[in-house]
Amino acid sequence: MADIVCKICHDTVLSKAGICVGCCDRLGIIPMPEVTRPPRGCSKCSGMKFVRAIPREYSAYNVKVWDGSYVKDVAAPMALTHRPGRVEDKVVNLPDVRRGQGILEAWVCMSCDFVEWYCHTAAQIPIGPEFMTEVVDFTPDSPYR
């Protein structure tokens, strides 16, 4: 049986997606989650052909090594919010973009270029000012109606 070669680094890989674990970690690539968008036409033009994408965000963080620290870049699927970073000596570290809550996916209509956003696991998104999130309820009995 022939070896599968990583589509990115061309190293030998044994993965169904054809991308090695090292490249997935380095580039923030995850398996495509289940589709959340309803199977209907574009809300602008009724087109039926889309590009589905998980956008990624890029960041950097300091890593301490034996002779000091250096900056390491990271990539991760774009998310709606992130948990605050660890607290060290009463200083809060920046959030880790690799641990986002509410992974986003974008759908681009190939007819008119309109973009629709959807979120995975919305019910698990933490709510509070530290996450810059709130629940807005438009049901008839809510204060936002």
Side-chain angles (χ1 to χ4, degrees):
M1 182 169 138
D3 288 333
I4 299 172
V5 176
C6 177
K7 295 176 182 179
I8 298 170
C9 71
H10 308 292
D11 195 7
T12 302
V13 63
L14 300 174
S15 108
K16 291 180 185 173
I19 302 171
C20 71
V21 172
C23 285
C24 286
D25 288 346
R26 174 92 174 117
L27 301 174
I29 297 171
I30 62 169
M32 293 295 277
E34 291 293 319
V35 171
T36 55
R37 184 184 188 280
R40 59 173 162 69
C42 171
S43 61
K44 287 280 194 183
C45 76
S46 300
M48 295 298 288
K49 199 169 188 179
F50 300 88
V51 173
R52 176 182 175 224
I54 305 292
R56 286 176 279 174
E57 49 191 318
Y58 302 90
S59 186
Y61 64 95
N62 288 328
V63 177
K64 292 195 178 192
V65 292
W66 65 273
D67 62 346
S69 66
Y70 70 97
V71 175
K72 178 175 174 118
D73 0 327
V74 301
M78 189 176 286
L80 286 176
T81 192
H82 298 81
R83 295 198 176 276
R86 290 188 323 235
V87 177
E88 295 176 16
D89 297 324
K90 297 186 180 183
V91 175
V92 178
N93 290 321
L94 291 174
D96 184 343
V97 298
R98 297 167 298 178
R99 291 178 175 78
Q101 307 287 137
I103 301 295
L104 294 172
E105 85 176 29
W107 289 70
V108 182
C109 176
M110 293 185 74
S111 297
C112 72
D113 300 332
F114 181 69
V115 178
E116 293 181 49
W117 289 90
Y118 290 85
C119 177
H120 290 274
T121 63
Q124 296 174 12
I125 296 170
I127 305 300
E130 68 274 30
F131 305 107
M132 294 183 61
T133 58
E134 67 179 349
V135 173
V136 177
D137 184 355
F138 287 117
T139 57
D141 295 335
S142 76
Y144 294 105
R145 61 179 192 98

